Amino acid sequence: MKLIYKLLIGYFLIVGVIGAFCTGVLFYTVEKNSENLSIYREREITSFVKVLNAAIIDKGKLRDLLHIEHIFNSTISKLPHIKRLTLHQQNSDTLRYSHVISTVPKILGSPSHQEDIDAILHNRTTLLYETSEEGEHLIDITYPVTDCNGKAIAAIGVAVSLKESDKILKKAINSIKVDATKAIFVTITIAIILSLIFTLIITKKIISPIQKLKKAINLSSKKELNENIEVDSNDEIGELSIAFNEMAHELNMLHSSMEEQIDLKSIELEKQFLIDSLTNLPNREALFKNMKNIPKFHIAILDISSFKNINDVYGVELGNKVIQKFSQKVRLQLRGTELKLYRLSADEVVILNPSIQTEDKFSQTIKEIIKDIEHNTFYFDDKDLEIDISLHAGISFEKEHAIEKANVAIKKAKKGHLDSVVYDETYQENRHLTSIEMIKKIKHAISNYGFIAYYQPIVDREKNIIKYESLVRMRDNQKILSPFYFLDIAKKTKYYQHITRAVIYQAFKEFQDRNELISVNLSADDIINSDTQ
């Protein structure tokens, strides 16, 4: 049997089988899905609300309420299965959410339910089923009304009768079945007629090039773009083959170029993610990534003392330059070693020792770095300015919670005015004991008027006193303690407000008969705390 007849018979069989199968699948799908009408109902209501939403929004804002009320009433009259339309909105004066428009007049002005409020606050659709006073079952869906920026500014509540909605949906489903049957029948008929026409023009000369083209397309889908189609005709198939060869060549070139660009972009993105832009050092993310891949290591955190003062006095721009010079000097100190340098935060860098140096050698290296930097001055030509910095270092030889432990050590170094401190487990215990002892001293000082106000003069450029700043100190037997020792601990207790009140009282009493100005430093907690007033 000739191929043409085989194709024709095969085509008839395929069209018939596929047509019958599609018809059966369509009827089964429609019948199966129609059992759960709630899905169709929710889609129908959602589509309706989107149209309604577009009608009541004008340039990102709600239209006037009378216009919206007219739209609601008109909609109810035309769509009998929709029993209620309501607009919920927040009152700008009372901040309460209420029914501002409704096709049920008696609920106007009443507070909105929580599901209606949630639709506005969380910009999401809420759904519940309810029964009307007449015993009719309803589905109540609330949709957020959004402005042009996607922000919810109101909510539309739609109550639909389940019974009437079911009737409409079932009628629509039956109509779909009828229309689908007609469409399938017409499609199959047209397909058979067209098969008779087009099968007659299919020849071996056409089929062979098509098979070659198909093979080349399959290869291209597998990214094998180097395979060319042999062109042995001057007709449309030959032209298509030439065009495909040209396209495959261009796609191959484009694919290679895109792979190169993707590789370069990946490298660039990884660099941006792992490199600090100010110092060009590996950043905190790079540090944590490397720490995960090293079985054992030591770390040291180097911190610039009172770096905030540099920013406050000379500005952030110069502070950044100090960080850059500081990083460069540390990097020079580490040249030729296996130690790695990272920027941890604004004024801190981390030196990672992947078990190359011993603990003693690593500690000695850190001390030498601190000594070298502190004995050199940072000079800035453009400002004709010299700045000296002081460093503290916290060292941890433990992998578990290494950063936190190094931070504990650096706090110990600052408090003891030491260059560097190696973390020890007893620091945490001593710190908690110190806090408990300090709380006792704070409580005793409050009971015995032990908090004293000191007054620091503030002068202008001519050294004239323009005002005084009130500072707090605490008397501990014969010692006078600065806030460094007690203020942070006091803030975590109920005694902090008593300290603030004592300073304010003493300042007002001292300057009540004087003409000088006095300033008292208050925190946000002091201002909002009614017990301080």
Side-chain angles (χ1 to χ4, degrees):
M1 186 180 292
K2 291 184 179 181
L3 179 61
I4 187 71
Y5 300 121
K6 292 181 179 179
L7 291 174
L8 187 58
I9 295 173
Y11 188 83
F12 287 158
L13 290 174
I14 291 173
V15 169
V17 171
I18 292 178
F21 178 75
C22 290
T23 303
V25 170
L26 177 64
F27 277 98
Y28 173 79
T29 303
V30 172
E31 192 66 33
K32 188 69 176 178
N33 291 341
S34 64
E35 295 175 1
N36 187 7
L37 297 178
S38 59
I39 297 176
Y40 296 98
R41 183 183 295 109
E42 291 173 19
R43 290 177 180 174
E44 183 258 347
I45 297 173
T46 300
S47 300
F48 160 71
V49 171
K50 288 182 179 179
V51 175
L52 194 63
N53 184 68
I56 67 174
I57 288 288
D58 183 21
K59 296 180 180 179
K61 296 182 179 179
L62 287 172
R63 295 177 182 269
D64 62 88
L65 298 183
L66 289 177
H67 179 75
I68 298 174
E69 183 178 7
H70 172 73
I71 293 175
F72 280 11
N73 290 329
S74 176
T75 301
I76 289 291
S77 65
K78 295 177 181 178
L79 302 174
H81 64 294
I82 297 179
K83 298 301 181 181
R84 182 178 71 245
L85 284 174
T86 306
L87 182 68
H88 303 271
Q89 196 175 19
Q90 185 183 38
N91 188 298
S92 59
D93 295 328
T94 64
L95 301 181
R96 295 178 60 193
Y97 295 89
S98 61
H99 301 68
V100 295
I101 300 175
S102 179
T103 54
V104 180
K106 65 181 181 180
I107 66 173
L108 279 174
S110 62
S112 300
H113 297 104
Q114 187 59 48
E115 63 268 14
D116 305 320
I117 299 174
D118 289 342
I120 302 175
L121 293 179
H122 304 298
N123 198 353
R124 69 185 183 192
T125 301
T126 61
L127 179 149
L128 58 83
Y129 289 88
E130 61 181 27
T131 303
S132 67
E133 296 177 355
E134 295 77 18
E136 185 175 14
H137 297 296
L138 305 173
I139 179 174
D140 189 355
I141 307 181
T142 306
Y143 300 82
V145 178
T146 58
D147 59 15
C148 57
N149 296 319
K151 179 182 179 183
I153 58 176
I156 296 178
V158 185
V160 177
S161 169
L162 296 178
K163 182 178 180 181
E164 295 185 20
S165 178
D166 286 350
K167 291 179 180 178
I168 295 173
L169 289 172
K170 288 178 179 178
K171 183 177 180 181
I173 289 171
N174 291 331
S175 177
I176 289 172
K177 290 180 180 179
V178 173
D179 292 343
T181 303
K182 292 178 180 179
I184 291 173
F185 177 77
V186 172
T187 302
I188 292 175
T189 303
I190 294 174
I192 293 174
I193 294 172
L194 290 176
S195 68
L196 292 173
I197 298 172
F198 288 106
T199 305
L200 296 175
I201 64 173
I202 298 176
T203 64
K204 185 177 181 180
K205 184 177 179 181
I206 297 176
I207 294 174
S208 179
I210 290 177
Q211 289 176 337
K212 293 179 181 179
L213 183 59
K214 178 184 177 182
K215 179 182 178 182
I217 291 174
N218 289 335
L219 291 174
S220 67
S221 67
K222 299 176 182 177
K223 299 181 181 180
E224 297 179 14
L225 301 172
N226 295 320
E227 186 75 19
N228 286 331
I229 302 174
E230 295 182 5
V231 180
D232 53 7
S233 64
N234 297 323
D235 55 12
E236 288 81 359
I237 298 296
E239 294 175 358
L240 182 60
S241 299
I242 294 173
F244 180 85
N245 289 337
E246 293 176 352
M247 181 190 70
H249 177 71
E250 292 179 1
L251 286 174
N252 190 32
M253 297 294 293
L254 180 61
H255 182 262
S256 300
S257 175
M258 288 180 64
E259 284 187 335
E260 292 177 1
Q261 292 180 19
I262 290 172
D263 291 340
L264 292 174
K265 196 65 178 178
S266 299
I267 294 172
E268 181 182 347
L269 289 174
E270 184 177 6
K271 181 179 179 182
Q272 291 177 358
F273 181 71
L274 298 176
I275 299 298
D276 176 63
S277 58
L278 179 64
T279 61
N280 285 326
L281 292 175
N283 61 16
R284 188 185 189 94
E285 297 297 331
L287 171 63
F288 290 153
K289 180 179 179 181
N290 291 344
M291 286 167 60
K292 289 180 181 179
N293 298 325
I294 301 175
K296 186 178 180 182
F297 57 81
H298 309 147
I299 68 163
I301 299 178
L302 270 64
D303 175 88
I304 301 176
S305 303
S306 304
F307 180 72
K308 182 178 183 298
N309 294 338
I310 297 176
N311 278 337
D312 292 343
V313 174
Y314 300 108
V316 174
E317 181 180 355
L318 187 67
N320 287 339
K321 291 182 179 180
V322 170
I323 292 293
Q324 289 173 331
K325 282 185 174 290
F326 165 58
S327 301
Q328 291 169 3
K329 285 185 176 292
V330 177
R331 191 184 311 199
L332 287 174
Q333 290 288 320
L334 300 180
R335 182 182 295 177
T337 71
E338 297 296 328
L339 303 182
K340 301 180 183 299
L341 181 63
Y342 305 82
R343 187 184 183 194
L344 183 63
S345 62
D347 58 345
E348 291 182 337
V349 296
V350 171
I351 298 175
L352 178 67
N353 172 27
S355 298
I356 303 301
Q357 295 185 356
T358 63
E359 294 182 1
D360 292 340
K361 174 63 176 175
F362 184 59
S363 298
Q364 185 61 32
T365 300
I366 300 304
K367 291 179 181 179
E368 291 173 358
I369 291 173
I370 294 174
K371 182 179 179 181
D372 179 78
I373 292 177
E374 289 184 345
H375 281 73
N376 287 278
T377 298
F378 291 176
Y379 179 70
F380 300 92
D381 296 331
D382 55 338
K383 303 285 186 180
D384 191 22
L385 182 67
E386 294 182 350
I387 293 181
D388 293 312
I389 65 171
S390 176
L391 301 177
H392 295 290
I395 302 172
S396 172
F397 295 132
E398 302 178 27
K399 181 176 181 179
E400 192 72 20
H401 304 297
I403 297 295
E404 292 83 351
K405 291 175 179 178
N407 274 319
V408 171
I410 207 169
K411 289 179 181 178
K412 184 75 174 179
K414 289 180 179 180
K415 187 173 181 180
H417 305 288
L418 302 172
D419 287 344
S420 63
V421 168
V422 177
Y423 174 81
D424 188 284
E425 289 289 346
T426 58
Y427 292 164
Q428 291 283 38
E429 298 173 2
N430 293 338
R431 187 172 66 172
H432 293 313
L433 290 173
T434 302
S435 297
I436 294 172
E437 293 173 358
M438 183 55 68
I439 292 173
K440 292 180 180 179
K441 293 181 179 181
I442 291 171
K443 184 177 180 181
H444 181 268
I446 291 174
S447 302
N448 295 276
Y449 304 99
F451 286 101
I452 312 163
Y454 277 43
Y455 305 103
Q456 175 176 286
I458 307 299
V459 299
D460 57 19
R461 293 183 178 179
E462 286 74 30
K463 306 300 182 181
N464 298 316
I465 297 177
I466 57 175
K467 67 175 182 178
Y468 290 86
E469 179 182 10
S470 179
L471 306 174
V472 66
R473 298 291 185 268
M474 187 180 84
R475 183 185 292 112
D476 178 24
N477 295 327
Q478 302 301 318
K479 298 179 182 178
I480 301 297
L481 303 181
S482 72
F484 172 81
Y485 295 97
F486 64 83
L487 201 57
D488 286 341
I489 296 175
K491 287 181 178 179
K492 299 176 183 178
T493 69
K494 62 183 179 181
Y495 305 119
Y496 175 68
Q497 62 190 17
H498 297 287
I499 299 174
T500 303
R501 294 177 65 179
V503 173
I504 294 174
Y505 174 78
Q506 293 179 44
F508 280 26
K509 183 176 181 180
E510 176 68 26
F511 285 83
Q512 63 181 351
D513 297 323
R514 296 169 60 174
N515 292 325
E516 294 97 342
L517 296 175
I518 177 69
S519 66
V520 179
N521 297 321
L522 297 177
S523 66
D525 292 335
D526 292 324
I527 297 172
I528 64 176
N529 189 345
S530 59
D531 292 333
T532 307
Q533 302 173 2

